Amino acid sequence: MHNRFDLKGKNAIVTGATRGIGLAIARGFAELGATVTICGRKQETVDAALADLGSHKEQLHGVVAHVGKSEDIEQLISEAEEKFGRVNVLVNNAGTNPFFGPIVDSDERAWDKTFEVNLKGPYILSRILAKEMMKSGGGSIVNIASIAGLQAAPLQGIYSVTKAGLIMLTKVMARECGRKGVRVNCICPGVIKTHLSETLWKDEERLKAFVANKSLGRIGNTEEIVGGAIYFASDASSFTTGSVLTIDGGMVI
Ligand SMILES: NC(=O)c1ccc[n+]([C@@H]2O[C@H](COP(=O)([O-])OP(=O)(O)OC[C@H]3O[C@@H](n4cnc5c(N)ncnc54)[C@H](OP(=O)(O)O)[C@@H]3O)[C@@H](O)[C@H]2O)c1
């Protein structure tokens, strides 16, 4: 029987995949047969990630690209296509949260930076690649949003607004691109143990208090997001678009 989760023949770009959730998704995709181009902002981190993903070397390529810069995005896409051909899976994963505090104390620099990376980058990448995918046999776009885009996240206000925007970008593009074979879905992770969420789990007492009333009583690991990304990237989700999948240990119910 055809394995609907098989990723052979899928050629993916995963942004922000030098560590954390993106790196785990890149590994999961490669293990199921996809070719994957990853990016991060620095050569050292891109090289370290490729070394970490070593056993699937021939299926992987790394590009130094800042997703807030359109010239970097063009370079990322052109290298991915040169190396492995037409891109048919895009995972908009790179994200940032530079300001923690009341929104009334934030400044425009934090607003611009958060929007640039979390929303403008995914918009530019999706716009270019969805157009190409619609012309050439379809594809799948997977946006890594957050439960902070579903529920107001106090002290992470700007981040929360960008993620709500990314969820709506998912839905609008799903409506517009579906008939031409492009599916657009998003994942809303809860708290996952990575560099980005460090302030929430580094301190043991704080972590204990945080998970006390959560359904599964713990935070998640990066590998726990991978199954959702594989589902959306693969033919297993062929009738699914505009979908918002929470993977949050039952935090938002
Ligand atoms: N961890 C959580 O609890 C959680 C919860 C909900 C949603 N998310 C979302 O999940 C995604 C991944 O987060 P994570 O927790 O895995 O974060 P992370 O561990 O901090 O990793 C972020 C990745 O993005 C890259 N990156 C950052 N800015 C970039 C830019 N401007 N251009 C290109 N790459 C960039 C980083 O690489 P370099 O530093 O090498 O550039 C790194 O590989 C984000 O969108 C985040 O909002 C995370």
Side-chain angles (χ1 to χ4, degrees):
M1 196 188 100
H2 169 60
N3 177 357
R4 306 275 299 164
F5 291 92
D6 190 15
L7 293 179
K8 278 191 206 89
K10 304 290 182 196
N11 181 25
I13 287 179
V14 183
T15 66
T18 63
R19 60 170 187 259
I21 292 170
L23 180 63
I25 291 174
R27 192 190 313 281
F29 280 11
E31 280 170 358
L32 289 181
T35 47
V36 187
T37 300
I38 63 165
C39 83
R41 289 161 300 172
K42 287 173 238 115
Q43 191 66 58
E44 312 88 84
T45 55
V46 170
D47 289 345
L50 290 173
D52 193 343
L53 295 164
S55 55
H56 298 281
K57 230 194 213 142
E58 325 71 56
Q59 290 159 256
L60 293 152
H61 182 57
V63 179
V64 176
H66 185 307
V67 298
K69 298 184 179 162
S70 31
E71 61 278 17
D72 283 19
I73 289 178
E74 278 162 26
Q75 181 69 20
L76 170 64
I77 294 172
S78 86
E79 280 198 37
E81 289 176 342
E82 212 168 280
K83 182 86 185 163
F84 299 122
R86 177 180 99 76
V87 174
N88 50 20
V89 174
L90 165 66
V91 181
N92 281 311
N93 168 76
T96 191
N97 188 11
F99 178 78
F100 189 82
I103 202 155
V104 293
D105 293 335
S106 64
D107 61 29
E108 285 177 34
R109 265 188 46 228
W111 178 273
D112 288 344
K113 160 116 188 130
T114 317
F115 267 75
E116 194 176 80
V117 177
N118 294 6
L119 199 49
K120 188 174 156 204
Y123 153 69
I124 297 174
L125 271 149
S126 302
R127 191 186 63 194
I128 298 171
L129 285 172
K131 219 179 235 177
E132 289 185 8
M133 289 173 190
M134 287 193 286
K135 277 193 213 138
S136 59
S140 169
I141 297 176
V142 186
N143 293 320
I144 307 301
S146 169
I147 53 167
L150 293 170
Q151 213 173 45
L155 308 183
Q156 300 184 66
I158 300 173
Y159 178 79
S160 205
V161 176
T162 63
K163 293 300 187 178
L166 187 56
I167 293 167
M168 189 48 75
L169 180 69
T170 304
K171 293 181 180 181
V172 169
M173 289 195 68
R175 289 299 297 264
E176 292 184 355
C177 305
R179 283 168 184 259
K180 297 220 166 116
V182 179
R183 297 182 296 101
V184 189
N185 293 287
C186 75
I187 296 175
C188 291
V191 178
I192 305 298
K193 193 172 182 184
T194 67
H195 176 74
L196 188 89
S197 59
E198 211 173 32
T199 43
L200 271 169
W201 54 262
K202 220 170 32 183
D203 180 278
E204 246 176 69
E205 286 311 304
R206 187 172 184 181
L207 175 62
K208 234 191 239 171
F210 178 78
V211 299
N213 64 348
K214 305 294 183 286
S215 306
L216 293 186
R218 65 176 176 86
I219 62 169
N221 296 310
T222 55
E223 288 73 23
E224 293 180 302
I225 302 300
V226 179
I230 290 170
Y231 172 63
F232 285 140
S234 70
D235 297 345
S237 61
S238 54
F239 196 50
T240 305
T241 196
S243 169
V244 181
L245 174 66
T246 54
I247 305 183
D248 66 345
M251 237 173 107
V252 176
I253 294 184

